[in-house]
Amino acid sequence: MSFHGGFIGVMLAMVLFARQYKLGWFEVTDFIAPLVPPGLFFGRIGNFIGGELWGRPVTDPSFPLAMIFPHVDGLLRHPSQLYQAALEGLVLFLVLWIYTGKSRPRMAPSALFLIGYGLARFSMEFFREPDRDQGFVAFDWMTKGQMLTTPMIVAGLLMLWLAYHRQRKAPLHAPRRS
């Protein structure tokens, strides 16, 4: 399952959860946002172990991270799954964990997740081999993942602007540290 399809499914589940427990939509999404990157990390590690979503061929054979995916071909390739695990999983988790350690306006943590994931995914797609059945879908360089992620970045930027513009500081929880 692609991330974007799973994302829509999780969003629907959060709508039902928020309704059942009479919680605000962004109250739920702001709480969940920092919890998602560890799942993304392990999902990408699973992609690596399963030999899925391999990277593009490297241009310099001395590149220290280059590796051969024997089930693909004999070319040295980027281990793009590991790059994505690091950026979408570890880095995004740390950014969100630090950011949500203090009271933030409602909707801001959700917005930061959308922006952070979107930028990480968009940039890592340059190292990942495009899907064989689709190739580049726009401008002879943009992949389907980049096209699907662009609206997430735009929505996140709009949400972040709205969150701070409204200046509604409703904490998600008590800050973890002073």
Side-chain angles (χ1 to χ4, degrees):
M1 177 190 304
S2 76
F3 170 83
H4 299 91
F7 182 72
I8 292 169
V10 168
M11 297 291 274
L12 292 173
M14 287 192 295
V15 166
L16 296 174
F17 180 86
R19 282 186 183 171
Q20 181 175 351
Y21 291 98
K22 297 176 178 39
L23 298 170
W25 168 249
F26 287 110
E27 188 177 356
V28 174
T29 61
D30 286 354
F31 178 77
I32 295 294
L35 306 175
V36 175
L40 294 172
F41 172 82
F42 289 112
R44 295 303 180 193
I45 296 299
N47 292 145
F48 179 73
I49 292 168
E52 308 162 332
L53 310 175
W54 54 86
R56 295 182 191 184
V58 297
T59 54
D60 178 5
S62 66
F63 182 66
L65 298 177
M67 59 185 308
I68 294 174
F69 291 86
H71 66 286
V72 178
D73 54 27
L75 300 175
L76 286 170
R77 295 179 171 275
H78 288 279
S80 61
Q81 314 96 321
L82 299 180
Y83 301 167
Q84 288 184 269
L87 199 56
E88 297 168 4
L90 298 177
V91 172
L92 184 56
F93 171 74
L94 290 173
V95 167
L96 286 165
W97 185 261
I98 291 167
Y99 182 76
T100 59
K102 295 183 180 178
S103 178
R104 302 293 178 183
R106 183 66 63 213
M107 187 173 27
S110 299
L112 187 60
F113 171 80
L114 290 175
I115 295 165
Y117 175 80
L119 290 174
R121 174 70 185 265
F122 193 95
S123 60
M124 289 299 99
E125 284 283 317
F126 288 111
F127 297 98
R128 187 168 143 188
E129 186 73 25
D131 296 332
R132 290 185 187 196
D133 62 328
Q134 296 176 12
F136 297 105
V137 295
F139 314 115
D140 291 329
W141 63 266
M142 187 178 261
T143 66
K144 186 174 181 180
Q146 289 169 318
M147 284 198 61
L148 292 171
T149 303
T150 299
M152 292 176 73
I153 299 168
V154 172
L157 289 169
L158 177 62
M159 288 168 54
L160 193 63
W161 180 83
L162 286 170
Y164 278 98
H165 182 70
R166 293 177 183 172
Q167 285 298 308
R168 291 190 298 174
K169 295 229 180 207
L172 300 171
H173 48 73
R176 289 183 296 276
R177 54 202 170 276
S178 358

